[in-house]
Each structure stands twice: as C-alpha cells, then as structure tokens.
Amino acid sequence: MAPPQPFPPPSLVGVPLEYIVDSLRKLAPQYWNNTETADCSIIYPVDNRLSNFPAARDLSTSKVPRTEVLSNSHDPSSMGRRLTAPSLNREAVRVLMKLHIDYLSAQSTLLRALFSGSSPLDLIHPAVQPAPQAAGRPSISVSVASRLPRLLPSTPDHPIVYLPIPDSSSFPYLVAWMYFGDTSTLEDALQRHVIRWDGLARNVEYLGMPEEIKRFLGRWYRRWLQYAQQPGNNKNQEDDETVDPPRGRSCSRENTSSPH
C-alpha cells in the first residue's frame, strides 16, 4: 500500500496555498496528460452510456485527461490482484486516469485527506455516518459504502484511488480545471450540453473544491437565470433547448429557484 502523501509536502509547509496553486498552474502544460510523470491513478465508475463519457472531440484535442476503460480482471497496480469496488452496478464500467497528486490535493480537500492517509469513513458528511450497532461496532450500509472513496492496493510510489464521483460525465472537465484553473473548457462543455450544471455542482461539493470554482458555478447560474427571466425565452428554450436548465427542469419552474 502506498504511504501517506501529505499536502503541502514538508518542503513547502508554511508557503501560502495560493502561491503553490499558481506555481502548479504555470507548470501544468508540462504535466498535462503526461503519463510518464503521473504519480497516482484515479478509478471511477461510469454508467455504461455514451453520454457519460467525454465528447470525442474533447479527447482528441486534449481538453480532458486521457482515460482507459478497465475490464473486470484489469490490475492497474501490476501486483497480480483483481480490481474490485464496493457495490458497483454490473452495468457500470470503470475508467482510469493517470494524474498527479499535487494537482489533485491542491484543489480537493477530499483527495488531499485521502492521499494523506485519512480513513474513508472520516471523509463523508456527518449526516451519512453509520450509526453504531448495539454491540458498539460501526455498521456501514451498502448505500454509504458505495459512496466511499478508498485507496486500492498499489505500489508505494503510485497510489490508486477508487472514487465514486457523483457525476462521471463532468469529472474529466473538472480535472482539467484542477491543472490549469481555466474555466473556458467547463463553460464550453456546458454550452454544448456535454455536461450539466447540477452534476458539476455535486462533484464540486463531493470533492471539497475551493471557492474559486464555486464562484464560477454561481456566475453561470445567475447568467442562465437572467436569460430564463427574459420575456419569450421560456418558449424559445422549449423549442430549441439553447440553454441548459441547471437542474434539468423547465425555465418556468426555475425562475424563482436557487442553485443551493
């Protein structure tokens, strides 16, 4: 099993996080989609529907990370062990990305804690913490277990994380933002209906991502709401679907709603 990988690393303790993030973003072109320098892998389940995979043109232009679809017998650690994950739907497939710990830890408190050695049970919201059994031992329901991220068997220098992300379709686009800090790829995918606002928001909350990306989500929602409230746009949207409702409902129902 890979040893804990604290962030920031000991050599950068005391350095402002903003400075570390800025430095990482300047180096991002050097590390983006560079599997030779990748020091971790993320495996996440994807519903076996084409709509949940990144658009082909985004993969071909490197707007999202390279991915590999895994078979049931695939061993990403090369340790001779069969890959398993809790409560995976049999129709789901698993996708692997080879990434860099510093970029993930800098932008996700959940992944930062997981790489640092925290227990998966400590990473979920207190509201879904399992209640103790009468004998005093914790009981984990199937639904809770299926939401738990966890470290899989891996080599010491390359941890592998199983990450049951809420919305698999938008996750690759969020990874791109973790590296570059540029929202243009996210905005383009939202405009093309490749991803949805609500799925993106659920991923941001699940991963514990910073205020910077939450402000982008707020700006996008306000802009959509302003458009939806303009006279005549409700009918236009029903006919053309030129604007994607954040929660998949009609404009008439969203006019007075909030993204939170």
Side-chain angles (χ1 to χ4, degrees):
M1 186 67 68
Q5 303 276 350
F7 184 89
S11 60
L12 294 178
V13 170
V15 177
L17 180 60
E18 295 79 5
Y19 177 83
I20 297 174
V21 169
D22 183 64
S23 299
L24 287 171
R25 287 175 175 173
K26 290 177 180 176
L27 294 170
Q30 178 180 334
Y31 290 101
W32 180 244
N33 274 333
N34 189 336
T35 58
E36 292 184 1
T37 61
D39 57 3
C40 72
S41 292
I42 300 291
I43 294 175
Y44 60 99
V46 176
D47 190 297
N48 197 10
R49 293 177 297 181
L50 185 61
S51 61
N52 283 321
F53 289 88
R57 88 179 203 186
D58 294 335
L59 287 168
S60 64
T61 58
S62 296
K63 286 187 175 181
V64 294
R66 294 192 186 101
T67 58
E68 177 184 350
V69 177
L70 303 180
S71 65
N72 287 335
S73 60
H74 183 86
D75 175 25
S77 67
S78 300
M79 296 174 65
R81 300 184 183 184
R82 189 172 183 270
L83 176 64
T84 59
S87 304
L88 277 183
N89 188 312
R90 290 183 180 179
E91 295 183 356
V93 297
R94 287 158 304 205
V95 173
L96 177 144
M97 294 180 183
K98 294 183 178 180
L99 303 168
H100 300 83
I101 293 174
D102 285 348
Y103 283 91
L104 303 178
S105 295
Q107 301 293 355
S108 167
T109 57
L110 182 143
L111 290 173
R112 185 185 310 164
L114 195 62
F115 284 127
S116 297
S118 295
S119 165
L121 282 175
D122 296 333
L123 303 179
I124 59 177
H125 194 277
V128 296
Q129 287 280 9
Q133 292 179 329
R137 288 189 243 175
S139 173
I140 304 174
S141 68
V142 172
S143 61
V144 170
S146 67
R147 295 176 53 190
L148 290 177
R150 64 182 180 118
L151 287 170
L152 297 173
S154 52
T155 59
D157 59 347
H158 193 105
I160 302 171
V161 173
Y162 170 70
L163 189 69
I165 196 78
D167 180 63
S168 58
S169 62
S170 63
F171 180 55
Y173 298 88
L174 268 181
V175 171
W177 183 85
M178 290 180 182
Y179 275 70
F180 295 97
D182 182 7
T183 59
S184 61
T185 297
L186 289 171
E187 189 162 358
D188 177 65
L190 284 165
Q191 289 175 338
R192 292 186 288 118
H193 306 274
V194 174
I195 60 176
R196 296 186 64 87
W197 183 95
D198 59 327
L200 198 58
R202 284 185 287 124
N203 281 350
V204 167
E205 190 67 25
Y206 176 83
L207 291 168
M209 297 185 70
E211 287 299 317
E212 183 180 356
I213 188 66
K214 293 178 181 179
R215 287 194 293 271
F216 163 76
L217 288 172
R219 289 193 301 270
W220 177 269
Y221 183 86
R222 287 191 296 271
R223 188 170 62 184
W224 171 86
L225 198 58
Q226 289 170 357
Y227 178 90
Q229 290 175 335
Q230 292 174 7
N233 280 342
N234 284 356
K235 185 176 186 306
N236 291 341
Q237 184 179 348
E238 291 172 1
D239 295 339
D240 303 329
E241 294 187 357
T242 54
V243 175
D244 196 11
R247 296 188 182 274
R249 295 176 289 187
S250 67
C251 284
S252 59
R253 293 180 62 187
E254 284 284 359
N255 281 346
T256 59
S257 66
S258 164
H260 304 296

